[in-house]
Amino acid sequence: MALNKDKRMAEEQAEFKQQTKQILKRFGRKRSNLIPILQKVQGKLGYLPREAMLEIAEFLNMPDIDVYSVVTFYNQFRLNPPGKHSIRVCLGTACHMKGGYITLDAWKRRLEIEPSETTPDREFDLDTVACVGCCTMAPVTVVDNKPQGKVEPTKVDGLLLGFELERKKQKPGGQLPTDEA
Amino acid sequence: MKTVSLTIDGNKVTASEGDKVLWAALDNGIYIPNLCALRDAAEPAAACRLCFIEVEGCSKPVTACTEPVQEGMVVNTKGANALRLARTGFELLMASHPVDCAHCASNGVCELQIIARHLSIKLKSKRFRKLLRELPIDSSSPEFVYDPNKCVLCGRCVWICRERLGIGALGFAYRGFKRMVTTFGGEPIAESSCHGCDECVLACPTGALTLKDQHGGVSRAQRQKDPQPTAP
């Protein structure tokens, strides 16, 4: 099973490389193309895996750390694969005052990940945002692009339970999803 | 090359045309605090905000590393306004720097100690709340230890690794308070493209990069836990 997993990962990496190369064909080897390339690659792959960053650095003839530097500088770029469900905790001024950090802590605790990380089963990814524009509902969490208002820790549990039930519905018998060998 | 003469702190000095005031002062034995300045760099980084000077005819203090020398220029490195800016900059820098000089390998040669003495302020400032980063120490390289907590982000190591040596193992990552000098993907230095040439260690003004064979380069407890071959 572990071998299978390694094989799957190697295949995935080769796939990432291939797709990055495909995208790079459309660009010139100019340093100024770095951000447009990163945007296109992330648009295709959902995030910026290591292999893609190395490929881009080689293409633009710059140290790979420079690519990493830009990727970590902008919030727009992800280093982790996106989860099936996206959790965006608002930490804007109003949400901050109404306990946005408590909400964030609740998500962190329940999902056992830090902001900008993805759960190992790739179900959820967690991130923070600075104001989504519905401050009357503070503290806000945007779950799968739908703003949820007054998200207290109990509501976090409620939202997660909703996803759990949905998953059980899709898998009749209510068994937990297992890693197929 | 044409030379220009100027006055720094009442001393008549000469410098080559196009030179910056910082280098003219340092070459003539007049110290101006600085961390990010690199003589060979094409453009001054002007990032550390410590080399403030007052120039006669300028209403505001200017950074010595970006100010070109001019004929008949009168420079004062001890002006109250310039020192106030430099002190505040330094105190802000120290607000996220762990001050544990007694256990630091750079004790005595640390440029932060030199600057504090020059500005006659304490390393432990009470003016700003202490906010430490608490990042893990990287002792993977056989040559040196990297403690990002002690890093002041001057960028000397980054510049040397990339521009002078053309390696590019080190660089900046993240933004704001999380900004740090790191390798690609944040991997341990031993697994990066680092050649172990130690040039970055020699450039580091603080205890962030220290040689392993230097006495106390690694704390004793750490050395027992993580035995590493010392440099030849």
Side-chain angles (χ1 to χ4, degrees):
Chain A
M1 203 180 111
L3 253 170
N4 253 342
K5 211 173 174 184
D6 282 352
K7 207 176 142 196
R8 226 183 307 153
M9 262 178 75
E11 273 171 17
E12 199 181 46
Q13 283 171 6
E15 176 76 18
F16 285 154
K17 252 188 158 160
Q18 199 49 47
Q19 287 187 329
T20 309
K21 275 192 181 140
Q22 208 67 40
I23 292 166
L24 288 174
K25 273 185 198 159
R26 287 183 268 154
F27 287 93
R29 290 175 191 264
K30 272 198 310 200
R31 254 184 105 88
S32 55
N33 279 338
L34 175 60
I35 289 175
I37 289 173
L38 289 171
Q39 284 169 328
K40 272 276 182 305
V41 171
Q42 174 159 296
K44 182 87 184 168
L45 305 177
Y47 74 115
L48 292 162
R50 207 190 135 79
E51 295 71 33
M53 286 196 283
L54 290 172
E55 206 62 49
I56 295 165
E58 201 193 311
F59 179 78
L60 295 175
N61 191 25
M62 57 163 76
D64 40 20
I65 176 73
D66 280 10
V67 178
Y68 184 70
S69 201
V70 170
V71 169
T72 54
F73 186 89
Y74 293 106
N75 268 347
Q76 180 189 11
F77 297 122
R78 303 182 53 89
L79 285 167
N80 291 302
K84 220 159 96 194
H85 304 292
S86 78
I87 313 287
R88 299 280 175 275
V89 183
C90 180
L91 292 178
T93 314
C95 292
H96 175 90
M97 293 309 289
K98 295 288 269 179
Y101 278 94
I102 298 170
T103 311
L104 179 64
D105 278 342
W107 284 112
K108 272 159 66 174
R109 225 175 11 247
R110 296 290 177 270
L111 300 173
E112 294 175 346
I113 51 170
E114 291 294 312
S116 83
E117 286 180 1
T118 306
T119 51
D121 60 2
R122 294 199 188 176
E123 276 293 320
F124 299 99
D125 63 66
L126 180 64
D127 229 322
T128 61
V129 287
C131 200
V132 286
C134 45
C135 307
T136 51
M137 290 156 71
V140 175
T141 297
V142 185
V143 179
D144 288 339
N145 293 325
K146 203 172 147 232
Q148 302 280 348
K150 302 208 165 40
V151 186
E152 264 119 45
T154 44
K155 186 150 181 191
V156 171
D157 288 337
L159 288 164
L160 284 172
L161 189 66
F163 285 123
E164 186 87 9
L165 290 174
E166 208 174 286
R167 224 176 335 169
K168 275 187 184 163
K169 228 191 275 170
Q170 282 163 359
K171 280 202 176 228
Q175 67 208 115
L176 286 164
T178 49
D179 198 356
E180 47 290 271
Chain B
M1 188 174 272
K2 254 175 87 181
T3 57
V4 292
S5 51
L6 63 156
T7 317
I8 304 178
D9 289 349
N11 302 305
K12 284 243 179 287
V13 302
T14 52
S16 334
E17 195 177 23
D19 213 1
K20 301 289 191 272
V21 174
L22 177 66
W23 304 117
L26 292 177
D27 288 345
N28 288 286
I30 301 162
Y31 182 67
I32 297 173
N34 69 87
L35 286 172
C36 67
L38 286 151
R39 198 183 286 257
D40 303 333
E43 282 289 320
C48 68
R49 318 310 289 170
L50 295 178
C51 64
F52 279 107
I53 50 160
E54 286 174 20
V55 178
E56 225 174 74
C58 283
S59 57
K60 288 174 189 163
V62 290
T63 45
C65 65
T66 55
E67 193 67 15
V69 289
Q70 274 161 34
E71 186 62 47
M73 195 180 200
V74 180
V75 174
N76 180 12
T77 70
K78 300 257 160 62
N81 289 336
L83 284 181
R84 191 169 160 234
L85 280 173
R87 283 189 184 122
T88 305
F90 187 72
E91 280 177 284
L92 283 166
L93 206 62
M94 294 311 290
S96 61
H97 185 89
V99 181
D100 186 22
C101 301
H103 298 100
C104 180
S106 292
N107 191 12
V109 291
C110 179
E111 286 185 34
L112 297 177
Q113 292 174 325
I114 295 166
I115 293 168
R117 211 174 306 137
H118 182 85
L119 296 173
S120 48
I121 52 171
K122 292 201 169 99
L123 284 165
K124 283 184 185 172
S125 165
K126 289 212 172 71
R127 195 160 141 217
F128 301 115
R129 187 161 47 107
K130 198 95 187 171
L131 194 57
L132 296 174
R133 284 168 287 189
E134 285 167 21
L135 296 160
I137 294 169
D138 183 351
S139 51
S140 64
S141 164
E143 302 290 322
F144 56 86
V145 183
Y146 171 46
D147 182 351
N149 301 298
K150 291 180 185 167
C151 176
V152 290
L153 301 171
C154 66
R156 283 194 208 172
C157 53
V158 174
W159 186 85
I160 287 198
C161 192
R162 173 177 326 179
E163 304 295 331
R164 186 178 293 165
L165 304 164
I167 302 167
L170 292 172
F172 288 108
Y174 301 99
R175 183 160 41 113
F177 187 65
K178 284 160 98 183
R179 189 132 175 105
M180 67 183 295
V181 169
T182 186
T183 57
F184 175 71
E187 57 200 7
I189 286 168
E191 288 165 35
S192 73
S193 48
C194 174
H195 297 191
C197 67
D198 293 346
E199 287 291 325
C200 56
V201 182
L202 302 176
C204 184
T206 72
L209 289 162
T210 45
L211 288 174
K212 272 197 171 167
D213 56 350
Q214 200 175 322
H215 172 71
V218 196
S219 78
R220 212 168 293 143
Q222 207 181 346
R223 191 165 279 187
Q224 277 160 358
K225 235 195 292 170
D226 181 14
Q228 294 276 355
T230 48

